Amino acid sequence: MAAAQTWGSPASWKPFTYARAAQPTPARKPGEKTLLALDGTTGTLKLTLRQLQAMPAMRYTILHRQLKQTFTYQGVTLRDLAARGGFAGKDLRVYAANGYFTTIHADDYMNEPIMLAYSADGQPITTLQKGPLTVVLPAQPARLNGPEYGAAWVWYAERIAPLK
């Protein structure tokens, strides 16, 4: 068995090309809906859409195979979300509102721009498009679109947690 990867500090991580840098995190407004919960090492961090949109944004165009449509998605990388939750470098689970979940390996989300998308073609992702939050995998490397990750596009995502 191979030795476990240690990830060091964010400065040592593989660089991603972001569409937009991080913005100051807005305070939650009264009554603002939580879209994502990060079950971190020090508790659960609940994020609103505006707070997700303030994080560094990734953007790329990819075919959504189930919908048979190509979209330009924008969202937050799982690596940045895991860092925010305090569990970067650990395998994680992404849970959907309908009870579905999948595991995404640390080696993959730490090195590849796998994102939790909140917009498609510049618009909020509708329920019919599997939103408001959807895990999106890049076209490359090709193994991310193979059998191991065939079901990793989590629709209606609402929670991310490290594997224990």
Side-chain angles (χ1 to χ4, degrees):
M1 180 181 263
Q5 168 74 44
T6 56
W7 296 101
S9 70
S12 69
W13 298 347
K14 175 183 174 182
F16 290 158
T17 302
Y18 289 98
R20 185 187 41 72
Q23 309 296 310
T25 303
R28 178 185 295 268
K29 291 182 178 180
E32 194 171 13
K33 181 180 177 184
T34 295
L35 275 194
L36 181 69
L38 298 176
D39 291 342
T41 54
T42 60
T44 300
L45 175 62
K46 296 178 180 182
L47 298 169
T48 67
L49 177 60
R50 288 183 322 110
Q51 291 169 328
L52 287 169
Q53 291 171 332
M55 294 181 70
M58 176 65 55
R59 183 183 308 131
Y60 50 83
T61 302
I62 188 85
L63 173 68
H64 190 296
R65 291 186 293 182
Q66 288 79 14
L67 296 176
K68 297 177 177 45
Q69 286 184 273
T70 298
F71 296 100
T72 299
Y73 287 102
Q74 182 165 309
V76 182
T77 66
L78 293 184
R79 180 172 77 184
D80 290 336
L81 289 166
R84 183 91 180 254
F87 51 88
K90 294 184 179 180
D91 290 351
L92 54 82
R93 285 249 165 98
V94 181
Y95 296 87
N98 64 2
Y100 179 80
F101 67 88
T102 196
T103 300
I104 300 182
H105 301 292
D107 282 346
D108 293 322
Y109 78 80
M110 292 295 292
N111 289 305
E112 305 302 336
I114 299 171
M115 80 166 101
L116 184 66
Y118 49 72
S119 74
D121 294 337
Q123 300 298 314
I125 303 173
T126 67
T127 303
L128 292 176
Q129 294 170 325
K130 314 299 184 190
L133 298 176
T134 300
V135 173
V136 178
L137 285 75
Q140 296 298 321
R143 67 181 168 69
L144 292 180
N145 294 290
E148 182 178 9
Y149 280 116
W153 283 59
V154 179
W155 313 325
Y156 322 114
E158 66 177 10
R159 185 167 64 97
I160 299 175
L163 286 180
K164 304 290 183 215

